[in-house]
Amino acid sequence: MYSEQQRTDEPADGGVHFSVLGPLEVLRDGVDYAPSAPKVLALLAVLVMRPGKMVHIDTLIRELWSDNPPRTVRTTLHTYVYHLRRCIQQNELAEDAEKLLVTKQSGYTFNIDPSQVDIHRFVRLQQTGYERQAAGDHAGAADACRAALDLWSGPPLANIHCGPVLSAYRTELLELRRSVLHLRIEAEIVSGRHRELIGELRSLTTGSPLDEALHGQLMRALGRSGRRSDAMAVYRRLRTRLAGELGVEPCDDLQSLHRELISEGDHR
C-alpha cells in the first residue's frame, strides 16, 4: 500500500507529516507511506486539505466521482475509508486509526494538526516574507520566500487525478506559489540583485508569456542593469502578444514603467 521514498525536507522529529506541494506523500522518518490506490489517495488528499475539520460526505463523493457516482456510492466510499484506516494501522501511522480518521454523522474528520501539512509551513514563511518586506528587510524577505519555494518538489498533488474539489485546491496552491515567487523576485530586485535575476526572469516569462507582473519585473531588472532598450523590447513583445491573443493593452503599471523608461532615455 505504500512506496518507499526518501525525502530530505521532512521535519526530523519522528512524527508523521503530509506533503501536498508536489506528490501527495505521508512521511515518517524519510519514508513515504501514502496509499497507492488512486481513489484512496484522492480521499486522503481531500481530508488533508482540511486538517482537523469535518469534510462532508457530499464533498468526498463529488471529488471521487464528479457527477457520475455509482448506485452503491456510500458503500463504496466506506470501503475506501476502511482501506485508508488499514493503511494507517498497518504502517503504524497512528495508535488508533479510527481516532485519527473519525466518522461523523455527515462526513469524516482527519484529526491531524495543520502544522503536520507542508502548506502550513509554506504559508508561515510567506507571511514572514511579507512582514520583512514591509519592514524594509528585503534580503530577509527574499530568504523567507526562497525557503518557502524550496518546500515544493513539483506540481501540487502531482500523483493524483484531481476531480473538481482537488482541482480547485491545486489552483489555489499554484496561485499562492506564484505570489511568493513574485514577492521573492521583487525583494531581490530592491535589494540590488537585479543583474542576477535577468536569466531567471527571461526563463519565467517564456514559460508564462502573458504574466504581466513577471514581465514588469524583467523590465525593471533590465532597466536597473543599464539595458533600457532590452527592457523596452520586452514591453513591445508583451504588448503585441496581449493584443493578438486577448485584445487588451498592458496594465497601467506596465504602461507607467514603459513611460519611465522612455523618459530616462529623453533625459540622457
Side-chain angles (χ1 to χ4, degrees), residues 194-258:
H194 41 273
R195 286 184 175 84
E196 295 90 330
L197 287 169
I198 291 173
E200 179 186 2
L201 281 167
R202 285 202 182 278
S203 175
L204 288 169
T205 53
T206 298
S208 301
L210 299 177
D211 190 321
E212 293 179 84
L214 284 175
H215 281 80
Q217 289 176 324
L218 175 56
M219 289 170 63
R220 289 175 57 214
L222 288 166
R224 289 185 175 215
S225 301
R227 298 171 60 179
R228 188 177 66 90
S229 60
D230 288 341
M232 294 178 69
V234 169
Y235 178 85
R236 289 193 299 272
R237 285 194 298 271
L238 176 63
R239 184 183 183 191
T240 299
R241 189 148 197 164
L242 287 171
E245 295 189 23
L246 302 178
V248 298
E249 287 289 314
C251 65
D252 290 344
D253 287 346
L254 276 183
Q255 292 186 41
S256 296
L257 179 55
H258 184 243

Side-chain angles (χ1 to χ4, degrees), residues 78-94:
H78 292 160
T79 301
Y80 293 152
V81 170
Y82 164 78
H83 284 299
L84 181 53
R85 285 189 177 129
R86 186 180 172 199
C87 175
I88 293 166
Q89 204 74 46
Q90 287 183 337
N91 296 309
E92 300 179 349
L93 302 177

Side-chain angles (χ1 to χ4, degrees), residues 58-101:
D58 290 345
T59 300
L60 295 169
I61 290 171
R62 186 157 58 92
E63 170 58 30
L64 295 178
W65 292 283
S66 193
D67 296 325
N68 190 32
R71 285 188 299 113
T72 58
V73 64
R74 288 180 180 261
T75 301
T76 305
L77 179 59
H78 292 160
T79 301
Y80 293 152
V81 170
Y82 164 78
H83 284 299
L84 181 53
R85 285 189 177 129
R86 186 180 172 199
C87 175
I88 293 166
Q89 204 74 46
Q90 287 183 337
N91 296 309
E92 300 179 349
L93 302 177
E95 290 184 8
D96 188 334
E98 293 196 8
K99 288 184 179 179
L100 179 62
L101 176 50

Side-chain angles (χ1 to χ4, degrees), residues 3-265:
S3 61
E4 294 195 0
Q5 179 180 353
Q6 296 295 321
R7 283 289 299 276
T8 58
D9 58 353
E10 179 194 353
D13 58 8
V16 177
H17 299 270
F18 301 84
S19 170
V20 298
L21 304 178
L24 175 62
E25 295 176 323
V26 183
L27 298 166
R28 190 190 64 213
D29 297 328
V31 178
D32 177 22
Y33 293 94
S36 57
K39 293 286 191 185
V40 181
L41 191 65
L43 166 66
L44 174 61
V46 180
L47 295 169
V48 169
M49 264 178 55
R50 297 179 58 80
K53 297 181 180 178
M54 193 200 75
V55 179
H56 199 281
I57 193 169
D58 290 345
T59 300
L60 295 169
I61 290 171
R62 186 157 58 92
E63 170 58 30
L64 295 178
W65 292 283
S66 193
D67 296 325
N68 190 32
R71 285 188 299 113
T72 58
V73 64
R74 288 180 180 261
T75 301
T76 305
L77 179 59
H78 292 160
T79 301
Y80 293 152
V81 170
Y82 164 78
H83 284 299
L84 181 53
R85 285 189 177 129
R86 186 180 172 199
C87 175
I88 293 166
Q89 204 74 46
Q90 287 183 337
N91 296 309
E92 300 179 349
L93 302 177
E95 290 184 8
D96 188 334
E98 293 196 8
K99 288 184 179 179
L100 179 62
L101 176 50
V102 179
T103 302
K104 301 287 188 178
Q105 184 174 357
S106 54
Y108 298 91
T109 299
F110 200 47
N111 280 324
I112 60 172
D113 191 271
S115 63
Q116 291 177 254
V117 188
D118 56 358
I119 185 62
H120 176 80
R121 186 176 175 211
F122 177 83
V123 170
R124 281 195 293 109
L125 287 166
Q126 176 194 40
Q127 185 60 37
T128 299
Y130 280 117
E131 290 171 356
R132 290 183 178 175
Q133 183 81 331
D137 179 9
H138 306 299
D143 287 343
C145 292
R146 201 175 297 110
L149 294 167
D150 284 345
L151 295 174
W152 290 67
S153 61
L157 304 175
N159 54 342
I160 297 176
H161 179 72
C162 294
V165 177
L166 291 178
S167 291
Y169 184 52
R170 177 185 279 172
T171 298
E172 179 185 350
L173 293 177
L174 288 170
E175 283 299 317
L176 284 172
R177 186 186 187 283
R178 179 175 178 268
S179 69
V180 172
L181 176 64
H182 285 168
L183 177 60
R184 193 216 90 207
I185 292 170
E186 184 65 24
E188 291 190 338
I189 289 174
V190 176
S191 64
R193 299 193 68 249
H194 41 273
R195 286 184 175 84
E196 295 90 330
L197 287 169
I198 291 173
E200 179 186 2
L201 281 167
R202 285 202 182 278
S203 175
L204 288 169
T205 53
T206 298
S208 301
L210 299 177
D211 190 321
E212 293 179 84
L214 284 175
H215 281 80
Q217 289 176 324
L218 175 56
M219 289 170 63
R220 289 175 57 214
L222 288 166
R224 289 185 175 215
S225 301
R227 298 171 60 179
R228 188 177 66 90
S229 60
D230 288 341
M232 294 178 69
V234 169
Y235 178 85
R236 289 193 299 272
R237 285 194 298 271
L238 176 63
R239 184 183 183 191
T240 299
R241 189 148 197 164
L242 287 171
E245 295 189 23
L246 302 178
V248 298
E249 287 289 314
C251 65
D252 290 344
D253 287 346
L254 276 183
Q255 292 186 41
S256 296
L257 179 55
H258 184 243
R259 286 194 295 269
E260 289 174 14
L261 290 167
I262 294 173
S263 178
E264 288 176 11

